[in-house]
Amino acid sequence: MNLLKSKRGRILLFACLYFSEGAPIGFIWWALPTLLRARGVAVEEITAFTALLVLPWAFKFLWAPLVDSFRSPQRGFRSWIMGCQFLMGMTLLPLAFAQPAADLSLLKIILLIHALCASTQDVAIDALAIQVAKSEERGLLNGCMQAGMLLGRSLFGGAALLVASIVGWTGVIYGLTACIWLSLSLLFFIQEPVAPLATAVPFISHLGAALKEAKTWWALAFALISAAAFEASGALAGPFLLDRQVSQETIGLFFALPAVIATLIGGMIGGYVSDRFGRVASVALSLIGIVTVVMGLSGLDAFRPTEPVREALIVMFTTLYLFIGFFTASSYALFMDLTHPRLGATQFSAFMAATNGCEAWSAWAAGRLVAWNGYASSFLVMSLISLSSLWLLRGLTRQHRPAPR
């Protein structure tokens, strides 16, 4: 059996691999900030912590050419993915014996190492997807990949907050590690093609070839600022709702169900629309939706946090995650189209690194803005930054030609 030979097999494989990515991401960026805030850790310290953990994702393009270059017919992208996933689990196990708020420095070190392994795994998964996926199925494939990631986020970003009181912090860590390792089994059922230049092109040549293309710079600039509104809102969501008298259990339920379902639906819609009506138009439409909702959050937060307003906040965040799914599926498909398959790890990881860089700087800046002038100002500023990125799509429109197969 070779899962890479059929469309359904590819969808199953990459959805499961993205599940193994989404589970720790959900825990680290959804559950952990809420747990830390509930234990009295300051919002700016939490956002600085999460911004730090994004750095390996933001700089993964520096070692991505190694993934492109150090391959052979016997050891391809699969070997990279398997090795990284094993180490992802190993780095999480020590957390089972840590206390989140008291051992914050230890958490930083362990989770930085984990992020290094996870970001390298992501490079290899995306490079394999670019190599084997047909252009006409990339929108749908990205939607399904996001569905897998969201299921992982749901279980360990939302449900973890609900079950932590039953199984404890240690039980959550053990469950997270087990889920990461279980998805490894599917990798024994693939036979990947190996690009002819997989071992012939050296590190510097890979990086240089990617950086010489104009489309790379247009896409990098767009990726670095376009998602500021939703990345900042996502980083602040747990602490913000907690500070607006929403219970930890309600927040956990929100991240476990409404946020994930909305993002999943949005991802499927975004994948279909981008395949049917074009990548750039789909990205622009979803970005306008994100900005509109986050500006609405800014305005809504001006009211007193009465029960109806708190309910409205949940509705607004649910709508936001719908547009986030739409934007993610369509923008990732766009970046795949702009990537040459022989530079799959190098070039596409640079685009993804820029999106992660956006997450890092926007989370850090949003936390500082909250400390300076409240949540509403932070939401507003980040919305305007995202809105300003629309003009970059004009450059991407001129450059958007699917890479040669």
Side-chain angles (χ1 to χ4, degrees):
M1 177 189 296
N2 183 6
L3 293 174
L4 297 178
K5 286 295 185 180
S6 68
K7 182 177 180 179
R8 289 183 179 179
R10 290 189 290 271
I11 288 174
L12 173 64
L13 174 68
F14 289 110
C16 289
L17 290 177
Y18 259 61
F19 172 86
S20 69
E21 286 190 40
I25 288 174
F27 175 74
I28 293 168
W29 287 317
W30 282 3
L32 191 55
T34 305
L35 291 170
L36 292 175
R37 184 57 179 158
R39 287 160 173 77
V41 181
V43 173
E44 58 268 30
E45 189 174 355
I46 294 171
T47 53
F49 174 61
T50 53
L52 176 68
L53 297 180
V54 176
L55 290 181
W57 295 82
F59 290 101
K60 64 184 180 180
F61 69 93
L62 294 176
W63 58 86
L66 293 172
V67 179
D68 266 334
S69 299
F70 289 95
R71 292 186 290 129
S72 69
Q74 294 76 33
R75 295 183 179 180
F77 292 128
R78 183 179 72 167
S79 296
W80 280 97
I81 298 168
M82 294 179 72
C84 289
Q85 279 191 231
F86 176 76
L87 292 174
M88 285 165 63
M90 290 297 294
T91 53
L92 287 176
L93 285 178
L95 295 182
F97 310 100
Q99 297 296 322
D103 299 330
L104 197 58
S105 296
L106 177 63
L107 255 64
K108 288 179 181 179
I109 296 172
I110 293 175
L111 291 179
L112 269 175
I113 298 172
H114 170 85
L116 177 63
C117 299
S119 60
T120 306
Q121 177 224 25
D122 180 61
V123 168
I125 292 173
D126 290 336
L128 180 60
I130 291 168
Q131 188 180 46
V132 302
K134 298 178 180 179
S135 179
E136 62 270 17
E137 71 182 41
R138 286 176 178 167
L140 176 61
L141 182 63
N142 273 280
C144 294
M145 289 160 73
Q146 292 307 308
M149 175 174 284
L150 289 166
L151 179 59
R153 287 195 178 196
S154 173
L155 292 177
F156 292 96
L161 292 174
L162 299 175
V163 304
S165 59
I166 302 173
V167 302
W169 168 270
T170 300
V172 172
I173 297 299
Y174 285 154
L176 177 57
T177 303
C179 285
I180 292 173
W181 283 345
L182 280 173
S183 66
L184 280 172
S185 61
L186 287 178
L187 292 170
F188 291 100
F189 298 97
I190 70 170
Q191 297 175 10
E192 62 177 294
V194 177
L197 298 181
T199 57
V201 181
F203 182 98
I204 298 299
S205 296
H206 271 281
L207 190 60
L211 295 179
K212 285 179 181 178
E213 297 189 355
K215 64 183 179 182
T216 298
W217 294 102
W218 281 103
L220 285 173
F222 180 77
L224 192 58
I225 65 172
S226 60
F230 86 72
E231 296 289 14
S233 300
L236 293 173
F240 170 68
L241 292 172
L242 201 64
D243 286 345
R244 293 300 175 262
Q245 290 79 53
V246 180
S247 69
Q248 179 176 311
E249 291 73 21
T250 301
I251 296 171
L253 184 62
F254 165 72
F255 281 132
L257 292 175
V260 170
I261 293 172
T263 314
L264 173 59
I265 293 172
M268 293 302 179
I269 294 173
Y272 173 79
V273 172
S274 68
D275 282 343
R276 184 74 182 272
F277 300 105
R279 312 293 191 211
V280 174
S282 180
V283 170
L285 178 63
S286 56
L287 184 58
I288 292 171
I290 288 171
V291 169
T292 301
V293 174
V294 177
M295 284 186 170
L297 278 171
S298 177
L300 193 61
D301 192 49
F303 292 92
R304 240 173 29 157
T306 58
E307 193 67 34
V309 171
R310 289 202 296 272
E311 292 177 355
L313 289 175
I314 294 293
V315 172
M316 294 289 283
F317 270 108
T318 301
T319 307
L320 173 62
Y321 279 102
L322 178 73
F323 281 113
I324 287 174
F326 196 128
F327 178 83
T328 301
S330 53
S331 63
Y332 284 16
L334 171 63
F335 293 143
M336 281 188 173
D337 282 354
L338 293 170
T339 299
H340 194 290
R342 291 183 180 177
L343 296 173
T346 306
Q347 194 172 12
F348 188 76
S349 69
F351 300 149
M352 294 297 98
T355 67
N356 298 134
C358 180
E359 183 172 5
W361 75 257
S362 61
W364 180 88
R368 294 304 180 275
L369 286 168
V370 170
W372 170 63
N373 201 35
Y375 287 102
S377 296
S378 182
F379 290 144
L380 180 61
V381 170
M382 292 300 162
S383 296
L384 294 175
I385 292 173
S386 284
L387 191 63
S388 70
S389 71
L390 286 173
W391 71 272
L392 290 169
L393 285 176
R394 293 185 61 190
L396 279 175
T397 301
R398 293 193 295 270
Q399 294 290 331
H400 183 213
R401 301 285 189 278
R405 309 320 301 163

